[in-house]
Structure formats: structure tokens, C-alpha cells
Amino acid sequence: MTYTNFQVGEKFPLPIKNQGDGGMFQIDANGCMFILQLSRTDIIAVEAFRTGAMELALYEEDGLLFFLYKIDGIFKDGWGDSPLGLHLLPPGMKPCIADLDDPVLHLYLVDTNLQILLAQRTVSLTPEFHQLLQKKVQEQLESSLSPGAFVNKLQDIWKRNTSKDMSEKALAKQKVELDIPAPPTLN
């Protein structure tokens, strides 16, 4: 098993095919991760990502799984969505269900223009959220949906639903509390 080193301020170590703003939800040997790419950020957005309150959700339609996210201090319009695109991966690149053994989600904020890691965070998933995620990923791994059919279904779902619509029909939701470290105590 290889381990990828993620360092804030360094070039993001994983290849990113889509260079636009938005989120990517993926699972690989490094575990479950959400990568948010933004072309314009400031210190408030970085700190909001690193320590702010968030809401996470899972939504499924037509056999496609969406990771939904709401990050206070970054998105004024509420929810964003990111489909899990396992159907687009070649067979040798697909994750195995063991990649989801650890009930944590790794979050990465990346500057789209420079491909620099601006912030990272690890969130513990609730047992309910984690178990549902494992179940839905296993179903996707067993699916025979072609990449073309995946893209067509995805476009149809996006025509009918906004991210907010999806959040209202989510299968599971989890709140992530504000996580500001306490200052060190003086002795």
C-alpha cells in the first residue's frame, strides 16, 4: 500500500483532471476524500474550511451516489454536490470496499489556479453515515453501468435537481461542528 503525503502550502499530490471550481468526492487507497477546488479564496474561506461548521449528506438517484456539502463561510447559496464517479474509472483503478474501513473523511481545499493545497481537515463519520456510505459504494462497485450511461444519468439528475433539492431528500446527513483549537494553557 502506498501513502500519499499531503502538505498545506505544497502542490496537491493527486492528479486532478477537471480544473474548474467545484468539489470532487473519491475513494482510493488513501481512504475517503472530498477535494474542493476554488479559483478565488481568501483567509476567511481557508479558515472556514479548516475549522468551520459544515453539513454533509448522501443522496442517491437512479443508482448514482452524490456527496453533498454545505460549508459555512464559503458558500452563500447553501449546498454543493459531487457525484461519486466510480463508473468512470477503469477496472484496475476502482477502489475496494476495504478502502472505506476507516470511518473518516479527508477534506482538502485546493487553489485551482496554482494546484496548491490551502487547507486540510479530517472528519470522523457517524456510524450511520459511514455504514450507508459503505453500502452504497459496494452497490456502485457491483453495478454494470457504462461510463456513457453514467454521464447521461448524471446530466438528467442535474437537470431535475439542484443541490438544495438533493439535500432535502438526502439518505443521511451529518453535522460537523466548529473546530477551533483551544489556546494552550499557561502554567
Side-chain angles (χ1 to χ4, degrees):
M1 178 180 187
T2 61
Y3 176 76
T4 305
N5 190 19
F6 296 90
Q7 293 290 325
V8 171
E10 302 276 325
K11 184 164 177 58
F12 190 68
L14 299 177
I16 298 176
K17 292 180 182 177
N18 182 0
Q19 298 299 319
D21 283 4
M24 291 184 297
F25 182 58
Q26 66 184 51
I27 299 161
D28 65 17
N30 293 298
C32 183
M33 66 182 71
F34 172 67
I35 303 161
L36 180 60
Q37 295 184 129
L38 297 175
S39 58
R40 293 184 312 194
T41 58
D42 58 22
I43 191 69
I44 294 169
V46 171
E47 284 305 303
F49 189 87
R50 194 175 71 79
T51 63
M54 300 179 182
E55 285 185 71
L56 312 174
L58 295 174
Y59 172 77
E60 184 182 45
E61 185 173 330
D62 292 338
L64 303 188
L65 184 67
F66 292 81
F67 175 77
L68 307 173
Y69 51 93
K70 183 178 182 184
I71 305 172
D72 294 346
I74 295 182
F75 300 110
K76 292 177 176 56
D77 297 332
W79 291 89
D81 67 84
S82 180
L84 181 60
L86 297 181
H87 300 94
L88 301 175
L89 298 173
M93 298 296 293
K94 290 188 180 185
C96 64
I97 200 65
D99 293 333
L100 280 172
D101 282 349
D102 195 8
V104 298
L105 173 66
H106 304 283
L107 304 159
Y108 301 102
L109 178 63
V110 177
D111 180 294
T112 304
N113 300 315
L114 302 174
Q115 294 297 301
I116 300 293
L117 179 60
L118 299 173
Q120 61 184 347
R121 184 175 186 177
T122 301
V123 172
S124 294
L125 299 174
T126 64
E128 298 81 17
F129 196 98
H130 183 243
Q131 288 167 3
L132 182 65
L133 179 61
Q134 287 177 309
K135 177 183 176 200
K136 295 302 176 184
V137 167
Q138 184 62 46
E139 289 172 6
Q140 286 214 352
L141 289 170
E142 294 169 357
S143 169
S144 61
L145 190 65
S146 72
F150 171 82
V151 170
N152 289 337
K153 281 186 172 194
L154 183 59
Q155 290 172 343
D156 288 341
I157 292 168
W158 276 336
K159 285 179 191 173
R160 292 189 310 269
N161 297 288
T162 66
S163 299
K164 185 176 186 308
D165 295 337
M166 292 180 195
S167 74
E168 292 170 356
K169 299 180 253 176
L171 301 172
K173 284 188 178 180
Q174 176 175 335
K175 288 186 182 280
V176 178
E177 300 299 325
L178 185 69
D179 184 22
I180 298 177
T185 57
L186 299 174
N187 290 330

